[in-house]
Amino acid sequence: MLHSKDERELVEKFINGVILFRGITEKYLKQLVDDFSILQAAKNEVIIVQEDTSTDLYIILRGKVKVTLLSEEGEEYILTDLYAGDCFGEMSLIDGKPRCATVVAVEVSTFAVLKRERLIEALKRDPILALDLLSTLVQKLRKATEREEGLAFLDIRERLLKLFGELIREEGKKEEAGFFRIAKRTQKELAIRIGASREGTSQVLRSLVSEKLIMEKDTFFLIAPSVHTEDFE
């Protein structure tokens, strides 16, 4: 439960932007805000563990998280990054099944947390919320399907450039000569995210470096501005 006016105002600031709660009536929205609690997380702190049985919903109020999968060998594959205003955990919130991914705080972060039983109570109070919940899931499913369909018709080079374009939009910082700086990913991480082999991804990455479309540094990539404006982005 929220314990201060500042906490309540912080949750109210973001909850209206979450599609899940967009159509809820003002009366029940105020009640739902009170059902949230605040969680503070340190950098590199694990918020959700893959296969965990927790069912809470999280809204990012401050900070950034990465969503990852762990292989049987313990290797980490980054699926996506989420920022303030994004939410995660809604799948388990709805069906009560184990988590399908691990979520880690990339930096010091603050979350609004809603427990499943609180949501069930809210659904009983306001059936419109159930429709919004379905809309949110359908939107995520459509986005995933569109991404898979798009990748199916692109070669490895185009897939990789498309991914870099997405990363520029999410986290890119403009550097000298118009290049965009993004955090460095391993070749295996890039290969997983574009659905290609590590060998093929490595070969294309070397080609992009030789063409000076990408500059590879110790901890980051510099991406040429032309990548940000490719037609297939």
Side-chain angles (χ1 to χ4, degrees):
M1 303 289 287
L2 301 181
H3 299 292
S4 71
K5 180 181 177 181
D6 289 343
E7 288 182 348
R8 182 182 180 86
E9 290 177 349
L10 187 59
V11 174
E12 288 179 339
K13 175 183 176 181
F14 286 97
I15 194 172
N16 285 314
V18 177
I19 296 176
L20 174 60
F21 306 117
R22 193 165 293 169
I24 191 171
T25 60
E26 187 67 22
K27 173 185 175 182
Y28 292 131
L29 182 64
K30 290 181 178 180
Q31 293 178 9
L32 187 62
V33 167
D34 288 331
D35 289 333
F36 279 89
S37 60
I38 298 295
L39 172 68
Q40 306 287 347
K43 181 178 179 180
N44 296 325
E45 183 174 343
V46 177
I47 311 303
I48 288 177
V49 178
Q50 188 175 336
E51 299 301 330
D52 182 34
T53 57
S54 64
T55 55
D56 298 344
L57 171 74
Y58 295 80
I59 300 175
I60 306 173
L61 304 179
R62 299 189 185 97
K64 172 184 174 183
V65 304
K66 61 179 178 180
V67 182
T68 70
L69 290 178
L70 294 178
S71 69
E72 294 180 357
E73 294 76 24
E75 293 180 295
E76 179 186 74
Y77 304 128
I78 299 176
L79 297 178
T80 190
D81 297 313
L82 300 176
Y83 304 84
D86 291 329
C87 66
F88 58 91
E90 64 270 36
M91 299 297 290
S92 295
L93 180 80
I94 296 166
D95 62 19
K97 293 183 178 180
R99 303 293 192 179
C100 57
T102 295
V103 180
V104 180
V106 176
E107 57 192 44
V108 175
S109 301
T110 304
F111 308 94
V113 185
L114 179 67
K115 292 191 173 298
R116 188 168 189 261
E117 54 267 28
R118 296 289 186 180
L119 177 68
I120 299 301
E121 293 174 6
L123 289 172
K124 291 177 180 178
R125 293 195 301 259
D126 192 347
I128 292 178
L129 182 57
L131 296 176
D132 288 336
L133 188 60
L134 289 174
S135 176
T136 299
L137 296 178
V138 168
Q139 183 175 2
K140 283 203 166 189
L141 180 59
R142 286 184 185 277
K143 185 176 180 180
T145 301
E146 289 170 358
R147 185 173 187 275
E148 290 175 0
E149 288 176 345
L151 290 178
F153 295 101
L154 299 176
D155 60 25
I156 295 177
R157 177 189 173 90
E158 291 172 325
R159 294 183 195 183
L160 195 55
L161 288 173
K162 181 178 176 66
L163 174 60
F164 281 133
E166 293 172 354
L167 293 174
I168 287 172
R169 287 195 297 272
E170 291 175 2
E171 63 183 72
K173 296 180 179 179
K174 212 161 190 179
E175 301 279 330
E176 295 181 8
F179 276 70
F180 292 91
R181 175 173 175 162
I182 64 171
K184 191 173 183 179
R185 274 78 171 175
T186 66
Q187 293 176 4
K188 180 173 287 189
E189 288 172 343
L190 294 173
I192 290 293
R193 293 190 64 167
I194 66 174
S197 69
R198 181 176 178 178
E199 294 76 13
T201 302
S202 175
Q203 182 177 358
V204 170
L205 190 59
R206 288 196 300 270
S207 175
L208 294 175
V209 169
S210 68
E211 295 172 35
K212 301 189 184 306
L213 290 175
I214 293 175
M215 288 189 280
E216 192 172 1
K217 305 297 182 180
D218 289 339
T219 59
F220 59 90
F221 288 122
L222 288 176
I223 314 297
S226 59
V227 173
H228 188 48
T229 57
E230 291 286 354
D231 292 339
F232 49 78
E233 181 191 322

